[in-house]
């Protein structure tokens, strides 16, 4: 005599996923092949039948219908004997598809695509910077002519300017000027709406290119430290002076000066260093 195993349904009310089936000893009729030699294959088929009570089947069907409509009541999976498994929030369908797609992609292709994306971003950032650099150069040189005409004592004065985090223009390298000269000069610069806007655009464009290039050289470059790092006036005037200067003779020195005042060189020479813990 033997007991046939039967599948019984064990479900918890708060399970959000497919309920668990477990094999438990069930009660079956006493069967003995030795006492019933006519049983044969019929007996074997009977022994392998899975028995599910109607109540268990009804419960399971009701639960699966509830799961389809999202009406199950809990986010944890419960096992028999009170053991629970935590089920984290599921990814959205879009995120799941993106994850699956990334897992099947060739790593070399992924790296190549990343480089291409970065290259396109660098090209766009360079074009933006080039355009604003040309515009502000024209604006600044015209304004210097106006300043020299309205303030003869400032003609040929040595100074530079930058832009602070609040968007206002500030003087740089103007220690040779008197307080009155600095005050008049600063008011004149900030009175030019075009120059103020273009200086802010230039700072943003330089920082944007710096970030997309991902080549910081241990420097931290942002609007907070920009006025201590970049002298916009020095870069503009050095570039204008070197543009048509000969490569030899007395004016040849303008080319190294132009290079030294390029915003990248200024960033390298005067830029704020990142803390060692933040360097990549």
């Amino acid at each position: 005599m033997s007991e046939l195993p039967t599948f019984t349904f064990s479900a918890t009310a708060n399970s959000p996923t497919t309920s668990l089936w477990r094999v438990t000893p069930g009660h079956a009729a006493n069967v003995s092949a030795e006492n019933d030699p006519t049983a044969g294959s019929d007996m074997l088929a009977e022994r392998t039948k899975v028995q599910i009570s109607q109540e268990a089947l009804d419960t399971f069907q009701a639960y699966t219908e509830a799961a389809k409509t999202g009406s199950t009541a809990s986010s944890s999976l419960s096992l028999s004997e009170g053991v629970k498994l935590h089920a984290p929030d599921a990814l959205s369908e879009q995120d799941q598809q993106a994850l699956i797609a990334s897992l099947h992609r060739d790593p070399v292709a992924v790296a190549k695509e990343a480089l291409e994306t970065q290259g396109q971003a660098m090209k766009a950032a360079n074009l933006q910077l080039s355009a604003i650099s040309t515009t502000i150069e024209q604006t600044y040189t015209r304004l210097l002519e106006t300043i020299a005409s309205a303030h003869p004592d400032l003609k040929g004065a040595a100074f530079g300017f930058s832009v602070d985090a609040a968007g206002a223009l500030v003087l740089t390298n103007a220690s040779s000027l008197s307080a009155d000269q600095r005050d008049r000069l600063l008011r004149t610069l900030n009175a030019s709406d075009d120059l103020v806007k273009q200086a802010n655009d230039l700072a943003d464009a330089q920082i944007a290119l710096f970030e997309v290039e991902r080549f910081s050289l241990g420097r931290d470059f942002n609007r907070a430290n920009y006025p201590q790092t970049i002298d916009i006036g020095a870069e503009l005037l050095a570039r204008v002076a070197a543009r048509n200067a000969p490569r030899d003779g007395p004016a040849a020195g303008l080319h190294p000066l132009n290079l030294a005042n390029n915003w990248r060189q200024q960033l390298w020479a005067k830029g704020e260093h990142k803390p060692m813990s933040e360097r990549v």
Side-chain angles (χ1 to χ4, degrees):
M1 180 171 57
S2 63
E3 287 189 345
L4 294 179
T6 61
F7 281 92
T8 59
F9 181 72
S10 174
T12 56
N14 65 336
S15 174
T17 57
T18 304
S19 299
L20 302 178
W21 296 89
R22 62 181 179 183
V23 179
T24 59
H27 296 283
N30 293 340
V31 179
S32 174
E34 293 179 356
N35 296 334
D36 187 2
T38 63
S41 59
D42 292 338
M43 176 66 70
L44 179 60
E46 185 65 26
R47 286 178 178 271
T48 58
K49 287 182 179 180
V50 175
Q51 298 180 5
I52 304 175
S53 68
Q54 185 61 44
E55 180 182 1
L57 182 59
D58 292 342
T59 302
F60 176 70
Q61 291 175 338
Y63 178 80
T64 54
E65 289 299 321
K68 290 178 182 179
T69 60
S71 60
T72 52
S74 174
S75 62
S76 63
L77 172 65
S78 297
L79 302 178
S80 59
E81 308 302 331
V83 179
K84 295 184 178 180
L85 296 179
H86 175 66
D89 294 337
L91 294 174
S92 66
E93 182 176 351
Q94 182 178 1
D95 290 340
Q96 291 181 39
Q97 292 175 350
L99 177 60
I100 293 173
S102 66
L103 293 175
H104 288 83
R105 296 193 62 191
D106 180 6
V108 175
V110 173
K112 181 179 179 181
E113 181 179 304
L115 288 175
E116 291 175 349
T117 300
Q118 183 185 9
Q120 293 172 359
M122 289 172 57
K123 181 179 180 180
N126 268 302
L127 289 174
Q128 176 68 17
L129 178 56
S130 177
I132 187 59
S133 293
T134 300
T135 302
I136 194 173
E137 179 186 302
Q138 297 169 352
T139 300
Y140 186 53
T141 52
R142 287 196 300 264
L143 183 59
L144 287 180
E145 294 175 357
T146 301
I147 291 173
S149 175
H151 306 275
D153 61 317
L154 292 175
K155 184 176 182 180
F159 66 92
F161 78 94
S162 190
V163 58
D164 65 18
L169 301 185
V170 294
L171 292 178
T172 61
N173 302 311
S175 59
S176 63
L177 303 180
S178 68
D180 175 66
Q181 288 176 318
R182 289 196 298 269
D183 182 64
R184 284 184 284 132
L185 183 57
L186 193 56
R187 281 191 281 107
T188 303
L189 293 177
N190 277 294
S192 172
D193 293 338
D194 287 343
L195 184 64
V196 171
K197 180 182 183 305
Q198 292 162 14
N200 278 275
D201 290 345
L202 181 70
D204 289 339
Q206 290 171 344
I207 293 171
L209 180 57
F210 168 81
E211 292 178 346
V212 77
E213 286 178 337
R214 302 174 188 172
F215 190 57
S216 68
L217 299 175
R219 301 300 192 272
D220 197 8
F221 190 39
N222 51 57
R223 288 301 299 267
N225 60 36
Y226 188 89
Q228 293 80 40
T229 308
I230 304 299
D231 185 335
I232 298 175
E235 179 183 27
L236 296 179
L237 292 184
R239 184 164 67 230
V240 170
R243 181 171 295 133
N244 298 316
R247 293 288 175 177
D248 55 6
L254 293 176
H255 296 287
L257 183 64
N258 179 35
L259 178 62
N261 283 284
N262 179 270
W263 72 274
R264 292 178 184 275
Q265 187 62 29
Q266 291 191 56
L267 175 58
W268 171 251
K270 300 182 295 181
E272 180 180 340
H273 289 265
K274 286 184 177 182
M276 291 298 297
S277 59
E278 297 180 12
R279 298 187 188 182
V280 178

